[in-house]
Amino acid sequence: METPQRPDPGPAPLTVPPPANPFAGRTALVTGAASGIGRACAQALAAAGAHVHVVDKAAEAAKSLAEGIGGTAWVVDLSDPDAVDTLPDVVDIVVNNAGLQHVAPVHEFPPERFALIQRVMVETPFRILRRTLPGMYERGWGRVVNISSVHGLRASPYKSAYVTAKHALEGLSKVVALEAAGHGVTSNCVCPGYVRTPLVENQIADQARTHGISEAEVVGRVMLERSAIKRLIEPGDVAEAVLWLCGPRTGHITGTSLSMDGGWTAN
């Protein structure tokens, strides 16, 4: 009686080692990191393995977040150029996120408020990049992500300072993209529509009081009127886009503006 032969199982399957963590050993600096989009970005980068410098003037919130994600808190007023120049200059990733808003027609807009918004949202990113880019160039790798806005691509009435600042940030991002291309450094903007942040929630409440309508009507009829998708964006969604732009497969994506506006700019 013949012994039945077992089928040849073929060659043993190759064991593919898991890819190395692209964020391990990386250091990121995130401005306006104590809340909203900045907080979500800091958490996402830390969860991916980066050490995060949490930059905000809200001391308690910044320190609490830094402790929770194993980062470092920097309590800094970003409207003070001298204070900005004390921030770390050896980082691999910069997320320029800090911002503020003021709503008024141009002929009533306070000049000092206009200037403040430009300092925080344009001059501060410039100063940070001026100090951090040389190290990125030396190491041959870096990622710059500027949190712009749909208002970096489109305008709305009564937001002259904010729209001006976001358009300027778009321009700065593109210049950095061109200058940094030969050094392994990319620079991009993420342009969300209305995101569920404390800044936007305050605007919703203010407009509801001003117009005598519900907050739901403010969101649907005012804020999202030009958006095809009628819901606010979550901060975590923006953070995931930032994380992707900082990842290993995006080395050819630079000088771009990634719209996350629910179809606003498609109109």
Side-chain angles (χ1 to χ4, degrees):
M1 181 176 179
E2 296 184 0
T3 302
Q5 294 182 344
R6 295 180 180 178
D8 184 1
L14 294 175
T15 301
V16 180
N21 182 353
F23 291 93
R26 300 292 190 193
T27 302
L29 185 150
V30 182
T31 66
S35 67
I37 295 172
R39 180 182 179 86
C41 289
Q43 291 172 324
L45 287 163
H51 180 87
V52 181
H53 293 291
V54 176
V55 180
D56 207 292
K57 68 177 183 179
E60 186 175 339
K63 292 176 181 177
S64 175
L65 175 61
E67 182 178 353
I69 64 174
T72 304
W74 294 80
V75 181
V76 173
D77 181 355
L78 295 178
S79 69
D80 180 356
D82 292 335
V84 172
D85 288 344
T86 67
L87 292 173
D89 58 0
V90 181
V91 297
D92 303 297
I93 297 166
V94 170
V95 180
N96 287 310
N97 165 74
L100 63 156
Q101 179 66 281
H102 187 88
V103 178
V106 171
H107 66 283
E108 296 177 359
F109 210 101
E112 65 280 4
R113 191 70 174 173
F114 188 96
L116 171 65
I117 290 173
Q118 308 315 305
R119 281 201 306 276
V120 172
M121 296 171 60
V122 183
E123 183 178 345
T124 288
F126 161 75
R127 284 181 173 274
I128 290 173
L129 294 175
R130 181 177 180 274
R131 298 178 67 248
T132 57
L133 283 173
M136 294 183 192
Y137 292 171
E138 183 178 343
R139 295 185 296 278
W141 193 92
R143 294 289 184 265
V144 177
V145 183
N146 301 295
I147 305 301
S148 180
S149 165
V150 66
H151 284 115
L153 308 173
R154 298 288 188 271
S156 290
Y158 312 119
K159 297 180 179 179
S160 58
Y162 189 86
V163 170
T164 298
K166 290 302 188 184
H167 274 66
L169 185 62
E170 293 274 343
L172 175 63
S173 183
K174 289 177 173 62
V175 170
V176 171
L178 297 177
E179 293 183 3
H183 301 280
V185 178
T186 65
S187 176
N188 294 285
C189 287
V190 176
C191 305
Y194 286 102
V195 182
R196 195 185 305 278
T197 64
L199 186 148
V200 167
E201 288 176 340
N202 289 337
Q203 288 184 54
I204 293 171
D206 288 343
Q207 291 200 35
R209 286 191 296 269
T210 300
H211 299 292
I213 58 178
S214 70
E215 294 189 2
E217 288 176 296
V218 170
V219 173
R221 289 171 42 192
V222 180
M223 290 187 166
L224 301 182
E225 179 186 8
R226 287 176 282 183
S227 175
I229 299 175
K230 302 297 185 182
R231 62 177 182 273
L232 296 177
I233 304 164
E234 298 301 327
D237 294 341
V238 182
E240 286 298 319
V242 171
L243 194 66
W244 176 71
L245 286 171
C246 295
R249 303 296 183 188
T250 54
H252 280 79
I253 300 176
T254 195
T256 66
S257 300
L258 176 62
S259 293
M260 297 183 67
D261 60 12
W264 184 331
T265 51
N267 284 320

